[in-house]
Amino acid sequence: MTQLEMAQPEMTQPDRAQEPVLTVRNLSLDFHLRTHILHAVREVSFDLYPGKTLCLVGESGSGKSVTARALLRLIDAQAKVSGGEITLHGPKGPLHLHALASNSREIRAVRGGRIGLIFQEPMSSLSPVRTIGTQIVEALLLHRKMTKAEAKAETVNLLRQVEIAQPEHMADRYTFEFSGGMRQRAMIAMALACDPDILIADEPTTALDVTTQAEIMDLIARLQAERGMAMLMITHDLGLVAEVADHVAVMRWGKIVEQGPVDDIFHSAQHPYTKALLAATVRLDTAVKRIAPNRAGQPLLQARGLTKGFGATNWRGKKTYEIKAVDDVSLDLWPGENLGIVGESGSGKTTLGRMLLRIVEPSEGSILWHGDEGAEEVTQMQRPDLARYRSAVRLVFQDPFASLNPRMTVKQVIADPLVVAGGMSDAALDTRVAELLELVGLEQSAMERYPHAFSGGQRQRISIARALALNPRVIIADEATSALDVSIRAQVLDLLLDLQKRLDLSFIFIAHDISVVRYFCDRVAVMHQGRIVETGPAEQVCTAPAEPYTQSLISAVPNPDPRDRRMLHRTRFNA
Amino acid sequence: MEKASQIPEETGPAISPLRPGEDASKIAVSGQWTLIRQKFLANKVAVFAGIIVILFYLVGLFAEFLAPTSPTLAQPRFTYAPPQSIDFFVTDESGERHWQPHVKGYTMTVNQESLRRSFVIDETAVIPIGFFVEGTPYRLWGLFEMNTHLIGPLDASKPMNLLGTDSLGRDLMSRLIYGTRVSMSIGLIGVISSLFIGVVLGALSGYYGGWTDIVIQRLIEVTSAMPTIPLWLGLAAAVPITWSPLTVYFMVTLIVSLLAWTSLAREVRGRFLALRDEDFVTAARLDGSGQARVIFRHILPSLTSHILAVVTLAIPTMIVAETALSFLGIGLKSPVVSWGVLLQDAQNIRTVATAPWLLVWPAGAVVLTVLSFNFLGDGMRDAADPYAT
């Protein structure tokens, strides 16, 4: 356990002059489940210093969120703090948070008063039935001695500080009238209402697009510098860590495996897990490009002028309004090629993918498929032809939990397309499923198990096996790696590339994550508000984009190197 | 285990087992019913309620054997006789106590002012009782000629009325046991027919949406807007008086179920709407499955446990409806025996004052059954989706 001893804060931080505002020593936390006790947090120690940011990094299930909530005693009834000390230092002397009851007056004064909290999903952490203003006023009245009028004035002032335009009017709006980024700003205003010493941000930008994420992180950094707050940021994104952290603690399975200044962690990591995590992140960012296929001959799939409008019609069948989710999109996919489609949420990339398979019927446009039987128009296909087309062009879904029927065994899931196609004996099905499982790197014993016995990455492998069952030519991967942790993500991407070599596949890879697209794709199409704004070779689009929108998008992507923070001096785009 | 996570020292999150034997490999291969059963068995109240429900059904199933006598056998000598209690020891002439389960007989007194007869327990009259005694002959399930009863007086001509008798001197305990059969089964039959209508219409409405959905939803609204009691009264009056009690019984069930399918249809529609757009259903469509296959292979299996829970919660409604109808005199009628018919005997205040057992026991049976079904249904609903987070 030499790494752990080295990771003690006293040993790595001898030169810190300032006193910590919060110290956590040997914090342990157990979840009492029905059949076992889960030691979610084990012997965790760290300090928070004024004006500094500590990032708690780890993959899902590492116990990072639960650690942060334990600081405020906001944990489930099943969970028990089994040991350790949490001490909040202040002018009135130290306050031992671990000794307070979870709903005592003292801890409630700390929550929102001395420690502010921002959650990942602002939509569910703000009340939908009250205006933003009243919610902030309530926080002010609870913690500060103010009259209602003073609190209202202070609310407007706070909203102005978090850069919400026209704060007087926006205070009277409801949560659903705010965009995701604005909601997170309002959430920050609320957390700051009582001028806390410490701000805990639990994945504050995970639900946001990269450009919005960059803006929010700018804002947090500025407010932190103005107020000298200590910040504990929880994230899984090493790129973001490199951009904002002063100190980093890496968590795995409830333990801090390594902690230290951000530069040490990124450039001289000691623990093998930290190294593995960094390798997975950096590998995606600095990919060695594979040789792009020769774009000669006939494209496999040609989309021309694809448009999808959503709208309402009145009783006479006339359109009252129409929103174009996808607007006049044309693209080509050559055999053996990986085409990336990038865009922020709401850019229409998922709708485009689903239109290519006619899960969503296109309003206009054509899709030309050059399969084994010559050129065919997909939008005109009837049922038997469409089934044939859909067996050649397959979809891999984003959510590995929702896309597998939980009531079927893995064998039934993978064999389902084969059963529908018919003409195979049970023994032949068994052999084929075993073959497919081996292809995606799962053991044969997986066959009789149910999906709930598998992790996210393994489930995604099962989805891929199902997609491969019918020997497809094209796979449309709709955010297929977004729900996975970074180390698993790299493995799944490598698996797909390997399969491509062996099975002569082409991919349409829909993603919001630029680094993944850069690693995986030969060509990239950038979508913005339903249109393709730029298409080009992946390396060129990701390093030297031509269009201003693409430039702003690329420059907002966090760089996993604390010595080259690029998010703060990014290109801004106003559309 | 994924490759990159093979890092020395630790191989996974720290877990201390509380109970041995429940290892992960077993859960990995357990299907939805195993998971549902485990979750259900953890809910002790629901399990207890389930046992009570099963006991009630067993009572209904073996009613002829369990009842001490025939439910229609009138004993004019013992009208409104109070319940007897069971004693186990008798003292003979020599003053020695020995084992002899027995009940005490009755003596009749006549109130000279009102000229009303009343019965009191005669402490000296010993009526020995026992298990598996011969008594009134019956046909078990209408098939087997038998005359053995689980419990009864050793001398069949002596009275044994553990729960008392009614105005014609019929044994309440036997009537209650026979009534269990009718009342518990009317719930089942009613629910099965409303289940059929509800699932079919709900599935059509949820899966296809659009116009189909609009028409079926309006139909549901119209049906649930019907004032039920007047409708029952009207329909029951329309049943020809010449029909046998059994046919009437069947008609009543049908009438009740024709109005009770709406909530089930709504439930099924809601689940269909939610599941229709699940990724795994889209995946099944892309795999080439036709509509029938998507519905029966992928959507319905996810619903069966929910439907079962809804059905369990619908049965008590049926039981209460039957009781209410019979109490009002428009449902079942004598000689059919049901809990509602039994309660009809306790309609006037004089009965309640002089023979409270006629009210207490049938009403108690209804309350206990309905409560048990509700607890059972709640437990099943909680366990119905083992994959919900």
Side-chain angles (χ1 to χ4, degrees), chain A residues 35 37 39 394 407 416 491, chain B residues 2 16 18 28 32 287 293:
Chain A
T35 55
I37 299 173
H39 307 288
R394 305 281 293 160
R407 286 160 180 85
D416 202 48
Q491 289 169 21
Chain B
E2 310 282 348
S16 314
L18 284 175
Q32 68 158 332
D287 288 347
R293 200 181 141 81

Side-chain angles (χ1 to χ4, degrees), chain A residues 1 35-37 39 42 252-253 255 394 397 402-403 406-407 412 416 420 449-450 452-453 458 488 491, chain B residues 2 4-5 9-12 14-16 18-19 27-28 30-32 280 286-288 293 297-298 302 387:
Chain A
M1 299 299 257
T35 55
H36 55 267
I37 299 173
H39 307 288
R42 292 182 288 166
R252 181 172 203 233
W253 292 327
K255 275 188 175 167
R394 305 281 293 160
F397 293 85
S403 60
R407 286 160 180 85
Q412 288 170 320
D416 202 48
V420 175
R449 298 191 178 181
Y450 286 84
H452 62 78
Q458 290 170 323
I488 315 290
Q491 289 169 21
Chain B
E2 310 282 348
S5 54
E9 289 178 32
E10 297 212 43
T11 51
I15 286 172
S16 314
L18 284 175
R19 266 192 274 161
I27 291 171
S30 31
Q32 68 158 332
F280 72 84
L286 289 176
D287 288 347
R293 200 181 141 81
R297 184 84 182 86
H298 292 273
S302 330
Y387 305 104

Side-chain angles (χ1 to χ4, degrees), chain B residues 79-90:
Chain B
T79 55
Y80 292 123
Q84 297 160 311
S85 57
I86 300 176
D87 292 315
F88 296 102
F89 293 96
V90 289

Side-chain angles (χ1 to χ4, degrees), chain B residues 9 36 41 44 76 92 100 114 150 163 168 224 286 302 309 311 314 334 361:
Chain B
E9 289 178 32
I36 290 174
L41 290 180
K44 296 282 178 284
D92 59 10
Q100 174 59 267
S114 64
L150 177 68
L163 301 182
L168 297 176
S224 29
L286 289 176
S302 330
V311 163
S334 296
W361 291 106

Side-chain angles (χ1 to χ4, degrees), chain A residues 324-467:
Chain A
K324 283 188 175 165
V326 175
D327 190 2
D328 192 21
V329 163
S330 302
L331 51 86
D332 298 308
L333 180 71
W334 269 272
E337 189 185 39
N338 292 348
L339 173 65
I341 297 176
V342 209
E344 304 194 316
S345 52
S347 61
K349 54 192 194 302
T350 293
T351 313
L352 175 62
R354 300 205 163 203
M355 269 201 287
L356 291 176
L357 280 165
R358 278 185 60 195
I359 306 172
V360 173
E361 291 289 340
S363 315
E364 282 169 46
S366 77
I367 305 163
L368 213 55
W369 164 244
H370 298 273
D372 300 327
E373 305 190 8
E376 290 172 281
E377 177 58 50
V378 177
T379 49
Q380 306 296 326
M381 278 182 179
Q382 295 304 311
R383 222 183 114 61
D385 290 328
L386 190 61
R388 190 166 45 75
Y389 168 71
R390 282 177 176 169
S391 72
V393 181
R394 305 281 293 160
L395 182 67
V396 175
F397 293 85
Q398 168 175 6
D399 184 350
F401 290 84
S403 60
L404 302 177
N405 190 338
R407 286 160 180 85
M408 289 163 87
T409 62
V410 167
K411 186 179 134 192
Q412 288 170 320
V413 167
I414 297 178
D416 202 48
L418 299 167
V419 172
V420 175
M424 276 178 102
S425 67
D426 278 358
L429 277 177
D430 268 13
T431 352
R432 177 72 179 137
V433 171
E435 211 176 283
L436 287 164
L437 281 174
E438 201 202 319
L439 207 57
V440 297
L442 288 174
E443 287 175 24
Q444 285 208 13
S445 63
M447 262 203 241
E448 295 307 322
R449 298 191 178 181
Y450 286 84
H452 62 78
F454 296 91
S455 67
Q458 290 170 323
R459 283 163 179 244
Q460 208 57 302
R461 284 168 193 262
I462 297 170
S463 293
I464 294 167
R466 171 175 61 190

Side-chain angles (χ1 to χ4, degrees), chain A residues 102-339:
Chain A
S102 63
N103 58 353
S104 62
R105 182 189 296 271
E106 291 90 343
I107 194 81
R108 277 185 284 142
V110 170
R111 284 180 202 155
R114 297 196 54 197
I115 305 181
L117 185 59
I118 312 173
F119 296 98
Q120 171 176 353
E121 187 35 79
M123 189 66 193
S124 52
S125 34
L126 290 168
S127 165
V129 294
R130 297 167 66 208
T131 61
I132 299 283
T134 51
Q135 295 182 56
I136 300 177
V137 166
E138 187 190 11
L140 285 168
L141 292 177
L142 273 176
H143 290 287
R144 281 159 70 170
K145 283 183 187 127
M146 277 187 168
T147 62
K148 245 186 162 171
E150 283 170 346
K152 267 187 189 153
E154 179 64 20
T155 300
V156 171
N157 186 24
L158 279 167
L159 289 177
R160 188 173 292 121
Q161 281 186 42
V162 294
E163 294 164 2
I164 286 179
Q166 293 183 300
E168 299 84 1
H169 294 110
M170 297 313 272
D172 294 330
R173 297 280 179 91
Y174 289 89
T175 325
F176 57 83
E177 294 177 278
F178 277 44
S179 69
M182 273 163 71
R183 272 183 224 135
Q184 200 57 288
R185 284 168 193 274
M187 194 69 213
I188 293 170
M190 210 156 136
L192 296 181
C194 302
D195 208 3
D197 302 331
I198 300 166
L199 185 66
I200 299 177
D202 188 355
E203 304 262 7
T205 56
T206 307
L208 305 174
D209 290 321
V210 277
T211 48
T212 323
Q213 161 175 296
E215 283 165 20
I216 295 286
M217 289 323 298
D218 275 1
L219 173 71
I220 292 180
R222 216 195 55 236
L223 291 168
Q224 189 188 9
E226 276 172 16
R227 295 166 178 245
M229 283 185 300
M231 182 153 95
L232 174 65
M233 191 163 116
I234 291 144
T235 181
H236 65 276
D237 184 348
L238 279 171
L240 196 60
V241 173
E243 296 279 357
V244 302
D246 296 302
H247 298 97
V248 181
V250 184
M251 270 190 100
R252 181 172 203 233
W253 292 327
K255 275 188 175 167
I256 291 186
V257 295
E258 184 166 12
Q259 64 176 310
V262 61
D263 202 69
D264 291 1
I265 295 286
F266 276 81
H267 290 283
S268 56
Q270 300 294 320
H271 196 275
Y273 177 66
T274 318
K275 286 179 188 165
L277 209 57
L278 280 167
T281 312
V282 173
R283 188 165 52 136
L284 289 185
D285 225 56
T286 55
V288 183
K289 273 322 289 177
R290 60 194 205 98
I291 298 137
N294 193 6
R295 285 199 292 165
Q298 199 64 262
L300 262 180
L301 199 60
Q302 275 181 304
R304 287 290 170 268
L306 273 184
T307 299
K308 178 70 192 176
F310 292 104
T313 48
N314 64 11
W315 59 275
R316 280 184 301 190
K318 273 194 179 171
K319 286 232 163 91
T320 48
Y321 70 93
E322 190 179 34
I323 294 162
K324 283 188 175 165
V326 175
D327 190 2
D328 192 21
V329 163
S330 302
L331 51 86
D332 298 308
L333 180 71
W334 269 272
E337 189 185 39
N338 292 348
L339 173 65

